Amino acid sequence: MKCILVTGAAGFIGSHTTLVLLNAGYKLYLLDNFSNSSPIALSRVAKLSSLSKKEAQERISIIDGDVRDFSLLDNVFSTSKRNGERINSVIHFAGLKAVGESFEKSLDYWDNNVGGTITLLKVMVKNSCRNIVFSSSATVYRPKNEAALIETDPISPINPYGITKATIEKMLADIGGCQSTASAQQNSSKGWRIACLRYFNPAGAHPSGEIGENPKNIPNNLLPLINQVGIGRNKSLTVFGNDWPTPDGTGIRDYVHVMDIAEGHKAALDILLSSKPQLLIMNLGSGKGTSVLKLIHIFEVTNGIKIPYEIGKRREGDSAISLADPSQALKYLQWEAKRSIEDICRDAWNWQYKNPIGYL
Ligand SMILES: NC(=O)c1ccc[n+]([C@@H]2O[C@H](COP(=O)([O-])OP(=O)(O)OC[C@H]3O[C@@H](n4cnc5c(N)ncnc54)[C@H](O)[C@@H]3O)[C@@H](O)[C@H]2O)c1
């Protein structure tokens, strides 16, 4: 049985990916320090899976700990060996992700994101594990307002969060013996199998409404902000700028359903484990752009509720348009986003409606 360590497993994308991996038959070591998540997410994942309670208990080990803790991580690898189920791959979600906050708390972002990844890689090297899927981000690109972003576009992030992601990509390319991070596929001369998945705007929730996006602090992403207005926690939504160079003046983003993103991780892992050592750098996006005002409209029509909004100032670190060219993911991973923007709005609201105060 394939055995995987998932860091940041209780988070938004981690919990949905964990569900997909459980249903696909993997044994999972799930690590999280719960700084931005709840252990309840993982118990719900177990219940949602196709496994019996006993099977789920056998297939999941939960570790409450920090990815920056070398001895703890090393111990997880040793435990997996003792249990005769050696961890052979890592999916690395753990990290901080709020663009705005990354300006104020830059050191925390370097420590958590870059520091955490260095520790993880050292432990992997010590335990001869050289397969990793890393959560990168569209923020690594220099914003380009006319056309979709492709993997060979210049890497030039405009906020500290994006800089940490670009730094980690570069580090992974170096340890894999690869030339650069500006190519969708390169062979690794050092025996590593690495996928850096550049997510665009993951959104939505599992259609059951049992798991979803549950930020502990003020949400950074648009769907949770809309949800908070829908549920009555906030009176209205602030739209960050209507003077962007876009048709309706509001920012255009590429929203991609979190279940599509979760399936993208399984696709990446399957390809990595069945092919030669290589570095894959892939956009995970839908290739379709939706403006803030259009998203509000679709959310209102899909869910039959009104979302009052007001226009505020532009937000530091934002750009007018961020849109993926997802063709490399189709070519190399046979992955493409299947769910629509309506699915995203419906599932996001279903989660919020069923869980008005999140996992509490
Ligand atoms: N959601 C997005 O819009 C988006 C877009 C691009 C990239 N990403 C990246 O994807 C990954 C997952 O994002 P998400 O939306 O699920 O975020 P999330 O905050 O919901 O999940 C991250 C998880 O990591 C945990 N964590 C944070 N620091 C940790 C540490 N030092 N040790 C152990 N656990 C730690 C948190 O408690 C949380 O459960 C992140 O690396 C993020 O930067 C997210």
Side-chain angles (χ1 to χ4, degrees):
M1 188 187 294
K2 284 178 193 151
C3 181
I4 307 174
L5 168 65
V6 184
T7 75
F12 174 43
I13 305 170
S15 55
H16 290 79
T17 305
T18 295
L19 177 61
V20 167
L21 296 173
L22 258 190
N23 285 339
Y26 291 97
K27 158 81 199 187
L28 302 175
Y29 284 81
L30 306 175
L31 176 106
D32 207 299
N33 66 1
F34 303 108
S35 57
N36 195 37
S37 57
S38 161
I40 298 169
L42 296 178
S43 48
R44 291 203 186 168
V45 165
K47 277 194 202 136
L48 270 181
S49 77
S50 54
L51 306 179
S52 68
K53 198 173 169 187
K54 184 169 172 289
E55 282 170 327
Q57 273 167 357
E58 284 165 6
R59 293 260 302 282
I60 302 176
S61 298
I62 297 174
I63 306 111
D64 179 351
D66 200 292
V67 77
R68 292 165 291 182
D69 184 339
F70 183 96
S71 343
L72 174 98
L73 285 186
D74 195 32
N75 197 29
V76 173
F77 275 86
S78 308
T79 307
S80 82
K81 274 181 220 157
R82 267 200 310 278
N83 293 343
E85 50 196 16
R86 196 174 156 270
I87 293 169
N88 84 329
S89 319
V90 175
I91 302 187
H92 181 34
F93 294 107
L96 303 179
K97 64 163 182 175
V99 167
E101 185 188 62
S102 74
F103 284 97
E104 291 141 38
K105 300 185 177 172
S106 306
L107 190 54
D108 289 350
Y109 275 70
W110 279 90
D111 183 29
N112 231 291
N113 295 1
V114 179
T117 308
I118 291 174
T119 303
L120 173 66
L121 291 170
K122 282 184 178 168
V123 175
M124 287 176 68
V125 169
K126 181 169 179 237
N127 290 280
S128 307
C129 174
R130 289 186 165 75
N131 308 320
I132 182 167
V133 178
F134 167 62
S135 295
S136 189
S137 162
T139 55
V140 299
Y141 292 113
R142 181 192 307 154
K144 169 170 126 181
N145 286 334
E146 332 75 55
L149 291 154
I150 54 171
E151 287 81 354
T152 46
D153 275 332
I155 301 306
S156 181
I158 59 168
N159 52 66
Y161 165 72
I163 294 170
T164 65
K165 293 289 180 185
T167 303
I168 296 165
E169 282 194 358
K170 182 74 185 80
M171 187 161 68
L172 289 167
D174 284 349
I175 63 167
C178 304
Q179 293 289 314
S180 77
T181 55
S183 163
Q185 190 279 335
Q186 289 168 79
N187 293 341
S188 162
S189 56
K190 295 190 177 169
W192 280 80
R193 291 177 172 81
I194 302 168
C196 296
L197 303 180
R198 292 177 180 163
Y199 320 146
F200 277 64
N201 287 69
H206 188 267
S208 65
E210 290 296 312
I211 52 173
E213 190 165 9
N214 181 43
K216 280 197 174 165
N217 300 314
I218 299 165
N220 187 47
N221 295 339
L222 185 54
L223 257 305
L225 286 166
I226 292 180
N227 266 346
Q228 294 208 341
V229 176
I231 209 72
R233 211 178 298 164
N234 293 326
K235 280 209 182 87
S236 77
L237 175 79
T238 303
V239 174
F240 297 115
N242 66 348
D243 55 351
W244 294 101
T246 62
D248 67 16
T250 65
I252 291 179
R253 294 289 177 273
D254 181 329
Y255 296 95
V256 51
H257 199 290
V258 65
M259 287 305 295
D260 281 325
I261 292 274
E263 288 162 7
H265 287 77
K266 181 177 174 304
L269 201 60
D270 287 350
I271 293 291
L272 284 182
L273 296 181
S274 61
S275 40
K276 62 185 178 212
Q278 61 182 326
L279 167 66
L280 295 171
I281 297 198
M282 298 284 137
N283 288 342
L284 291 192
S286 68
K288 295 175 190 137
T290 309
S291 74
V292 178
L293 293 185
K294 194 168 170 203
L295 187 72
I296 295 171
H297 177 69
I298 296 171
F299 188 93
E300 290 182 329
V301 171
T302 307
N303 296 314
I305 49 168
K306 198 86 198 125
I307 302 296
Y309 66 85
E310 65 211 21
I311 304 297
K313 284 195 301 200
R314 288 184 183 189
R315 195 167 53 167
E316 195 179 17
D318 267 353
S319 58
I321 302 177
S322 175
L323 184 62
D325 177 335
S327 55
Q328 298 303 307
L330 183 60
K331 178 177 168 191
Y332 287 100
L333 309 181
Q334 288 82 55
W335 174 92
E336 65 184 327
K338 296 191 188 85
R339 292 150 180 101
S340 68
I341 192 78
E342 286 80 9
D343 293 333
I344 289 174
C345 288
R346 188 198 54 241
D347 292 339
W349 176 241
N350 183 40
W351 146 256
Q352 187 70 75
Y353 186 73
K354 280 189 162 174
N355 304 271
I357 47 169
Y359 286 115
L360 300 173

